[in-house]
Amino acid sequence: MPTSSRKSAKYFLAPLAGYTDLPFRSVVKKFGCDMTFSEMTNVNAIAYNNEKTRKMMEKSPLESPYFVQVAANNVQNAIKATEIINEIDWIDGIDINLGCPVNKARRSGFGGVLLKDENKELLKEIVKAIVKTSKKPVSAKMRLGYDEIVAVDRAKMLEDLGIKFLTVHGRTVKQMYKGKANYDEIKKVVKALSIDVIANGDITDYEKAKYVLDYTGAAGVAIGRGAVGRPWIFLEMKQEGEITPKQKKEVILEHFNQMIHFYGDYGVILFRKHAHAYSKGLPKASEFRSKINEVKDAKIARELIEEYF
């Protein structure tokens, strides 16, 4: 695959549990994010029509294309979940999670644990079943391996099974978020595949994205933690100008309002972590965080946010 042009590169919002919900995704789309994914959803919950999971799959009118990310640990429910997704018109595709490093997912056999050698056949059967059943495009997001690097082998297998593009996070599952992302291994995957590869890991500004695109030849980058507290990062990525402090305040308030609209009063509590991220590096941030942590009323929280930012 040739080295990608930064002008044609794609900038995706990487799924991030607890952060990249519908309110957050609706905000980043306004800044030129090319593609969004739902938070990781469990195929077992989808198969049994879990109400909370169904809500997690909803999308903003701004999101297009929009893929639902699924995690599977058995073939039967992977097929059932895919059949349900087939009938939801506003979902454009399915992304298979092969990288989630959290202990709960590992113990249950979801995500990155499927990259282990002993799970290779199960991984193959799950992906094969989803691709065969789906009436929509299927992609995948993977890590470099579980504890050993097997990225090229697994990536080639995924391509052969029919996925349309692949996002690669430059760490193993065991690394969690420690150490630096390994762009050498992502580069190897790019060279080995004919489908588009999206690079992920430690991309927090335009200069880093530029370096990663040039070095790996990836077709784009996926930004997860780098967008938390900075949803306007996609504006920076496309070199389309800078955001003013006044605009930042408007964005933060819109994000807060979206949280209340989507979650009701509980959105005040859920927004706290975002308020912490938005205030990072600003004067009297700790004082603001202490105040916002005590508030449960939407009106009072909104007043605090307006006053601080």
Side-chain angles (χ1 to χ4, degrees):
M1 184 183 292
T3 302
S4 65
S5 162
R6 288 192 299 279
K7 286 185 178 179
S8 61
K10 298 297 182 184
Y11 298 95
F12 294 175
L13 177 67
L16 196 59
Y19 286 92
T20 57
D21 54 9
L22 186 153
F24 186 74
R25 298 194 311 266
S26 67
V27 171
V28 299
K29 281 299 290 186
K30 293 189 175 183
F31 292 104
C33 174
D34 290 306
M35 187 169 180
T36 52
F37 303 80
S38 73
E39 295 176 84
M40 184 180 75
T41 56
N42 184 325
V43 294
N44 304 329
I46 298 171
Y48 292 101
N49 288 307
N50 178 274
E51 189 177 334
K52 183 180 176 183
T53 302
R54 185 78 178 203
K55 190 171 179 65
M56 284 175 65
M57 293 163 63
E58 291 179 12
K59 75 164 189 173
S60 157
L62 298 174
E63 294 182 89
S64 182
Y66 167 71
F67 277 35
V68 164
Q69 190 185 70
V70 301
N73 61 0
N74 73 85
V75 175
Q76 290 73 25
N77 282 343
I79 292 171
K80 284 183 184 178
T82 304
E83 288 172 343
I84 289 169
I85 292 170
N86 281 341
E87 301 307 312
I88 303 175
D89 292 341
W90 39 262
I91 294 174
D92 299 308
I94 297 173
D95 186 65
I96 305 171
N97 184 301
L98 301 173
C100 182
V102 301
N103 287 329
K104 184 179 179 181
R106 292 194 215 181
R107 288 193 299 267
S108 302
F110 292 101
V113 76
L114 288 171
L115 296 173
K116 283 185 170 183
D117 283 344
E118 60 262 37
N119 293 330
K120 189 173 180 180
E121 282 307 307
L122 177 59
L123 166 63
K124 186 175 182 179
E125 288 304 310
I126 287 171
V127 175
K128 183 179 179 181
I130 292 173
V131 171
K132 183 179 179 181
T133 307
S134 181
K135 297 176 182 177
K136 307 169 190 280
V138 178
S139 61
K141 184 173 187 285
M142 63 176 280
R143 287 201 170 214
L144 300 179
Y146 186 78
D147 47 9
E148 295 180 355
I149 293 175
V150 293
V152 171
D153 176 81
R154 300 300 190 271
K156 288 172 76 173
M157 184 180 82
L158 292 169
E159 180 180 38
D160 290 343
L161 289 169
I163 68 162
K164 300 303 181 185
F165 65 88
L166 177 67
T167 303
V168 183
H169 182 107
R171 290 180 176 87
T172 63
V173 174
K174 277 286 189 74
Q175 279 182 272
M176 296 288 286
Y177 294 99
K178 296 175 182 176
K180 294 181 179 179
N182 186 334
Y183 302 125
D184 289 325
E185 292 299 325
I186 295 178
K187 185 176 184 177
K188 290 177 185 176
V189 173
V190 172
K191 287 186 175 180
L193 302 190
S194 58
I195 59 173
D196 282 351
V197 175
I198 307 298
N200 176 232
D202 298 346
I203 299 166
T204 55
D205 56 41
Y206 173 74
E207 288 304 318
K208 189 63 172 288
K210 176 177 176 292
Y211 166 77
V212 172
L213 287 167
D214 287 344
Y215 184 74
T216 65
V221 295
I223 303 164
R225 289 178 297 164
V228 175
R230 293 178 64 221
W232 44 81
I233 192 172
F234 293 95
L235 192 72
E236 180 185 347
M237 291 296 163
K238 298 202 169 187
Q239 295 286 279
E240 292 177 358
E242 295 184 6
I243 187 168
T244 66
K246 183 183 177 183
Q247 288 172 318
K248 285 182 183 180
K249 179 181 176 179
E250 290 172 357
V251 171
I252 295 165
L253 282 168
E254 180 181 348
H255 187 184
F256 176 78
N257 291 334
Q258 291 269 10
M259 293 287 279
I260 303 306
H261 178 73
F262 191 65
Y263 294 108
D265 291 341
Y266 189 55
V268 176
I269 294 170
L270 292 175
F271 190 74
R272 289 172 183 170
K273 60 185 173 232
H274 292 288
H276 292 192
Y278 283 126
S279 63
K280 187 177 180 180
L282 297 179
K284 297 184 178 180
S286 59
E287 183 181 328
F288 166 71
R289 290 170 188 171
S290 296
K291 288 180 180 177
I292 203 79
N293 285 348
E294 299 298 320
V295 175
K296 294 182 180 179
D297 181 86
K299 184 174 182 292
I300 296 171
R302 190 179 289 107
E303 287 171 356
L304 269 175
I305 292 166
E306 286 181 341
E307 181 186 348
Y308 180 73
F309 290 101

